[in-house]
Amino acid sequence: GYTLQTHNFLRNGHIVGWCLYGSNDCRTWNLIDNVSNCLYFQQHLGGIKYFPLASKTIYYQYFKIEQTSANSM
């Protein structure tokens, strides 16, 4: 699994949907997780949340998060 933390500012919006990818060469990216409609960060300013993965994955050296929906407000 992995952990994300949000900021603690009320009016700046918070991430709601994203895809997490992993890579070992920064060229080929494999989808690790896809999250949608996550309102946790909007409800917990400065919050830290652990996201368990549905299945085991290989080890990756690099990660990227691609935002898939507009921030909450």
Side-chain angles (χ1 to χ4, degrees):
Y2 61 99
T3 302
L4 294 180
Q5 181 176 11
T6 189
H7 59 81
N8 61 359
F9 301 109
L10 182 61
R11 297 183 186 193
N12 290 350
H14 300 272
I15 193 165
V16 173
W18 64 89
C19 291
L20 175 68
Y21 296 92
S23 176
N24 287 315
D25 61 9
C26 286
R27 290 183 303 231
T28 304
W29 293 94
N30 300 306
L31 180 65
I32 298 172
D33 196 21
N34 182 3
V35 176
S36 62
N37 200 30
C38 176
L39 300 178
Y40 176 84
F41 296 119
Q42 179 181 352
Q43 298 164 351
H44 299 88
L45 299 180
I48 300 171
K49 181 166 174 57
Y50 175 75
F51 294 88
L53 297 177
S55 60
K56 289 188 176 186
T57 184
I58 65 171
Y59 290 101
Y60 290 106
Q61 185 174 1
Y62 306 102
F63 297 92
K64 71 176 179 178
I65 295 177
E66 179 181 89
Q67 187 170 347
T68 58
S69 59
N71 284 350
S72 67
M73 291 307 280

mmCIF file of all heavy atoms in Angstrom, residues 2 5 10 12 14 18 20 22 24 26 36 38 41-42 44-45 48 52 62 64 67 72-73:
data_model
loop_
_atom_site.group_PDB
_atom_site.id
_atom_site.type_symbol
_atom_site.label_atom_id
_atom_site.label_comp_id
_atom_site.label_asym_id
_atom_site.label_seq_id
_atom_site.Cartn_x
_atom_site.Cartn_y
_atom_site.Cartn_z
ATOM 1 N N TYR A 2 0.214 2.386 0.048
ATOM 2 C CA TYR A 2 0.917 3.662 0.026
ATOM 3 C C TYR A 2 0.140 4.675 0.858
ATOM 4 O O TYR A 2 -1.029 4.479 1.176
ATOM 5 C CB TYR A 2 1.091 4.165 -1.416
ATOM 6 C CG TYR A 2 -0.200 4.402 -2.158
ATOM 7 C CD1 TYR A 2 -0.736 5.682 -2.279
ATOM 8 C CD2 TYR A 2 -0.903 3.346 -2.723
ATOM 9 C CE1 TYR A 2 -1.926 5.906 -2.969
ATOM 10 C CE2 TYR A 2 -2.086 3.555 -3.407
ATOM 11 C CZ TYR A 2 -2.593 4.835 -3.520
ATOM 12 O OH TYR A 2 -3.760 5.049 -4.188
ATOM 13 N N GLN A 5 -0.691 12.458 1.904
ATOM 14 C CA GLN A 5 -1.036 13.514 2.853
ATOM 15 C C GLN A 5 -1.466 14.745 2.074
ATOM 16 O O GLN A 5 -0.896 15.076 1.044
ATOM 17 C CB GLN A 5 0.149 13.875 3.749
ATOM 18 C CG GLN A 5 -0.190 14.963 4.755
ATOM 19 C CD GLN A 5 0.943 15.257 5.723
ATOM 20 O OE1 GLN A 5 2.065 14.808 5.539
ATOM 21 N NE2 GLN A 5 0.639 16.007 6.753
ATOM 22 N N LEU A 10 -8.271 25.251 3.841
ATOM 23 C CA LEU A 10 -9.673 24.961 3.562
ATOM 24 C C LEU A 10 -10.081 25.294 2.138
ATOM 25 O O LEU A 10 -10.803 24.562 1.497
ATOM 26 C CB LEU A 10 -10.561 25.718 4.561
ATOM 27 C CG LEU A 10 -12.057 25.490 4.447
ATOM 28 C CD1 LEU A 10 -12.392 24.026 4.669
ATOM 29 C CD2 LEU A 10 -12.794 26.353 5.458
ATOM 30 N N ASN A 12 -8.403 25.646 -0.822
ATOM 31 C CA ASN A 12 -7.590 25.308 -1.991
ATOM 32 C C ASN A 12 -8.011 24.018 -2.681
ATOM 33 O O ASN A 12 -7.457 23.669 -3.701
ATOM 34 C CB ASN A 12 -6.120 25.210 -1.606
ATOM 35 C CG ASN A 12 -5.538 26.563 -1.274
ATOM 36 O OD1 ASN A 12 -6.176 27.587 -1.498
ATOM 37 N ND2 ASN A 12 -4.345 26.583 -0.734
ATOM 38 N N HIS A 14 -8.923 19.708 -2.625
ATOM 39 C CA HIS A 14 -8.137 18.513 -2.321
ATOM 40 C C HIS A 14 -8.344 17.479 -3.417
ATOM 41 O O HIS A 14 -9.424 17.386 -4.005
ATOM 42 C CB HIS A 14 -8.556 17.934 -0.968
ATOM 43 C CG HIS A 14 -8.358 18.902 0.146
ATOM 44 N ND1 HIS A 14 -7.174 19.005 0.822
ATOM 45 C CD2 HIS A 14 -9.176 19.850 0.674
ATOM 46 C CE1 HIS A 14 -7.273 19.960 1.742
ATOM 47 N NE2 HIS A 14 -8.481 20.483 1.664
ATOM 48 N N TRP A 18 -7.397 9.794 -8.662
ATOM 49 C CA TRP A 18 -6.049 9.675 -9.213
ATOM 50 C C TRP A 18 -5.739 8.246 -9.601
ATOM 51 O O TRP A 18 -6.409 7.300 -9.176
ATOM 52 C CB TRP A 18 -5.007 10.168 -8.216
ATOM 53 C CG TRP A 18 -4.935 9.359 -6.947
ATOM 54 C CD1 TRP A 18 -4.159 8.243 -6.718
ATOM 55 C CD2 TRP A 18 -5.660 9.576 -5.744
ATOM 56 N NE1 TRP A 18 -4.369 7.767 -5.441
ATOM 57 C CE2 TRP A 18 -5.289 8.587 -4.828
ATOM 58 C CE3 TRP A 18 -6.605 10.525 -5.351
ATOM 59 C CZ2 TRP A 18 -5.823 8.492 -3.540
ATOM 60 C CZ3 TRP A 18 -7.138 10.442 -4.069
ATOM 61 C CH2 TRP A 18 -6.741 9.440 -3.192
ATOM 62 N N LEU A 20 -2.232 5.808 -9.593
ATOM 63 C CA LEU A 20 -0.853 5.669 -9.136
ATOM 64 C C LEU A 20 -0.151 4.686 -10.059
ATOM 65 O O LEU A 20 -0.666 3.580 -10.306
ATOM 66 C CB LEU A 20 -0.799 5.165 -7.693
ATOM 67 C CG LEU A 20 0.593 4.860 -7.142
ATOM 68 C CD1 LEU A 20 1.413 6.137 -6.973
ATOM 69 C CD2 LEU A 20 0.490 4.107 -5.818
ATOM 70 N N GLY A 22 3.768 2.911 -11.302
ATOM 71 C CA GLY A 22 5.133 2.594 -10.912
ATOM 72 C C GLY A 22 5.969 2.250 -12.134
ATOM 73 O O GLY A 22 5.442 1.748 -13.137
ATOM 74 N N ASN A 24 10.379 1.280 -13.349
ATOM 75 C CA ASN A 24 11.786 1.089 -13.003
ATOM 76 C C ASN A 24 12.725 1.750 -13.998
ATOM 77 O O ASN A 24 13.938 1.734 -13.811
ATOM 78 C CB ASN A 24 12.111 -0.404 -12.872
ATOM 79 C CG ASN A 24 11.527 -0.981 -11.598
ATOM 80 O OD1 ASN A 24 11.632 -0.382 -10.535
ATOM 81 N ND2 ASN A 24 10.863 -2.117 -11.709
ATOM 82 N N CYS A 26 11.370 4.848 -15.916
ATOM 83 C CA CYS A 26 10.733 6.133 -16.238
ATOM 84 C C CYS A 26 10.239 6.203 -17.683
ATOM 85 O O CYS A 26 9.979 7.284 -18.194
ATOM 86 C CB CYS A 26 11.663 7.317 -15.943
ATOM 87 S SG CYS A 26 11.851 7.655 -14.203
ATOM 88 N N SER A 36 -11.194 6.845 -7.097
ATOM 89 C CA SER A 36 -12.140 7.863 -7.539
ATOM 90 C C SER A 36 -13.062 8.233 -6.390
ATOM 91 O O SER A 36 -13.326 7.418 -5.496
ATOM 92 C CB SER A 36 -12.950 7.372 -8.742
ATOM 93 O OG SER A 36 -13.703 6.238 -8.391
ATOM 94 N N CYS A 38 -12.721 10.087 -3.716
ATOM 95 C CA CYS A 38 -12.162 10.011 -2.359
ATOM 96 C C CYS A 38 -12.354 11.374 -1.680
ATOM 97 O O CYS A 38 -11.696 12.339 -2.028
ATOM 98 C CB CYS A 38 -10.684 9.658 -2.403
ATOM 99 S SG CYS A 38 -9.899 9.665 -0.767
ATOM 100 N N PHE A 41 -9.759 13.581 2.181
ATOM 101 C CA PHE A 41 -8.892 14.740 2.377
ATOM 102 C C PHE A 41 -9.680 16.036 2.518
ATOM 103 O O PHE A 41 -9.253 16.961 3.191
ATOM 104 C CB PHE A 41 -7.872 14.847 1.250
ATOM 105 C CG PHE A 41 -6.918 13.682 1.225
ATOM 106 C CD1 PHE A 41 -6.836 12.852 0.128
ATOM 107 C CD2 PHE A 41 -6.111 13.407 2.315
ATOM 108 C CE1 PHE A 41 -5.964 11.780 0.108
ATOM 109 C CE2 PHE A 41 -5.235 12.341 2.316
ATOM 110 C CZ PHE A 41 -5.168 11.521 1.204
ATOM 111 N N GLN A 42 -10.828 16.112 1.899
ATOM 112 C CA GLN A 42 -11.690 17.279 2.053
ATOM 113 C C GLN A 42 -12.228 17.349 3.490
ATOM 114 O O GLN A 42 -12.415 18.417 4.049
ATOM 115 C CB GLN A 42 -12.851 17.207 1.069
ATOM 116 C CG GLN A 42 -13.815 18.367 1.173
ATOM 117 C CD GLN A 42 -14.964 18.243 0.188
ATOM 118 O OE1 GLN A 42 -14.982 17.380 -0.670
ATOM 119 N NE2 GLN A 42 -15.934 19.125 0.312
ATOM 120 N N HIS A 44 -10.721 15.929 6.187
ATOM 121 C CA HIS A 44 -9.633 15.867 7.169
ATOM 122 C C HIS A 44 -8.476 16.743 6.684
ATOM 123 O O HIS A 44 -7.530 16.244 6.062
ATOM 124 C CB HIS A 44 -9.155 14.432 7.356
ATOM 125 C CG HIS A 44 -10.211 13.503 7.852
ATOM 126 N ND1 HIS A 44 -11.070 12.836 7.005
ATOM 127 C CD2 HIS A 44 -10.565 13.158 9.109
ATOM 128 C CE1 HIS A 44 -11.900 12.101 7.723
ATOM 129 N NE2 HIS A 44 -11.618 12.283 8.994
ATOM 130 N N LEU A 45 -8.547 18.043 6.939
ATOM 131 C CA LEU A 45 -7.504 18.965 6.484
ATOM 132 C C LEU A 45 -6.157 18.557 7.070
ATOM 133 O O LEU A 45 -6.037 18.304 8.263
ATOM 134 C CB LEU A 45 -7.849 20.395 6.890
ATOM 135 C CG LEU A 45 -9.151 20.954 6.318
ATOM 136 C CD1 LEU A 45 -9.357 22.380 6.796
ATOM 137 C CD2 LEU A 45 -9.172 20.874 4.815
ATOM 138 N N ILE A 48 -3.631 12.418 6.714
ATOM 139 C CA ILE A 48 -2.756 11.384 6.170
ATOM 140 C C ILE A 48 -3.600 10.119 6.068
ATOM 141 O O ILE A 48 -4.264 9.738 7.027
ATOM 142 C CB ILE A 48 -1.548 11.128 7.089
ATOM 143 C CG1 ILE A 48 -0.730 12.411 7.247
ATOM 144 C CG2 ILE A 48 -0.698 9.994 6.552
ATOM 145 C CD1 ILE A 48 0.358 12.309 8.306
ATOM 146 N N PRO A 52 -4.520 0.719 1.063
ATOM 147 C CA PRO A 52 -4.034 -0.642 0.808
ATOM 148 C C PRO A 52 -4.254 -1.017 -0.653
ATOM 149 O O PRO A 52 -5.175 -0.499 -1.305
ATOM 150 C CB PRO A 52 -4.890 -1.506 1.735
ATOM 151 C CG PRO A 52 -6.126 -0.709 1.961
ATOM 152 C CD PRO A 52 -5.730 0.740 1.860
ATOM 153 N N TYR A 62 10.416 4.177 -9.251
ATOM 154 C CA TYR A 62 9.804 5.484 -9.497
ATOM 155 C C TYR A 62 8.284 5.375 -9.427
ATOM 156 O O TYR A 62 7.712 4.344 -9.800
ATOM 157 C CB TYR A 62 10.197 6.011 -10.888
ATOM 158 C CG TYR A 62 11.677 6.056 -11.117
ATOM 159 C CD1 TYR A 62 12.309 5.083 -11.878
ATOM 160 C CD2 TYR A 62 12.455 7.060 -10.558
ATOM 161 C CE1 TYR A 62 13.680 5.113 -12.095
ATOM 162 C CE2 TYR A 62 13.819 7.105 -10.758
ATOM 163 C CZ TYR A 62 14.425 6.123 -11.526
ATOM 164 O OH TYR A 62 15.770 6.160 -11.726
ATOM 165 N N LYS A 64 4.496 7.821 -9.994
ATOM 166 C CA LYS A 64 3.850 9.073 -10.385
ATOM 167 C C LYS A 64 2.360 8.955 -10.105
ATOM 168 O O LYS A 64 1.779 7.866 -10.158
ATOM 169 C CB LYS A 64 4.121 9.431 -11.842
ATOM 170 C CG LYS A 64 3.419 8.561 -12.855
ATOM 171 C CD LYS A 64 3.690 9.069 -14.263
ATOM 172 C CE LYS A 64 3.008 8.183 -15.312
ATOM 173 N NZ LYS A 64 3.233 8.692 -16.675
ATOM 174 N N GLN A 67 -3.632 12.879 -11.706
ATOM 175 C CA GLN A 67 -4.938 13.325 -11.214
ATOM 176 C C GLN A 67 -5.977 13.066 -12.297
ATOM 177 O O GLN A 67 -5.782 13.431 -13.455
ATOM 178 C CB GLN A 67 -4.889 14.803 -10.852
ATOM 179 C CG GLN A 67 -6.144 15.295 -10.190
ATOM 180 C CD GLN A 67 -5.990 16.684 -9.619
ATOM 181 O OE1 GLN A 67 -4.879 17.209 -9.505
ATOM 182 N NE2 GLN A 67 -7.098 17.281 -9.248
ATOM 183 N N SER A 72 -11.683 18.753 -5.035
ATOM 184 C CA SER A 72 -12.879 19.127 -4.260
ATOM 185 C C SER A 72 -12.723 20.572 -3.826
ATOM 186 O O SER A 72 -11.628 21.119 -3.802
ATOM 187 C CB SER A 72 -13.008 18.244 -3.034
ATOM 188 O OG SER A 72 -11.950 18.508 -2.125
ATOM 189 N N MET A 73 -13.785 21.206 -3.477
ATOM 190 C CA MET A 73 -13.710 22.588 -2.996
ATOM 191 C C MET A 73 -14.447 22.759 -1.695
ATOM 192 O O MET A 73 -15.106 22.113 -1.135
ATOM 193 C CB MET A 73 -14.277 23.559 -4.012
ATOM 194 C CG MET A 73 -13.404 23.675 -5.243
ATOM 195 S SD MET A 73 -11.689 24.064 -4.935
ATOM 196 C CE MET A 73 -11.745 25.779 -4.677
#
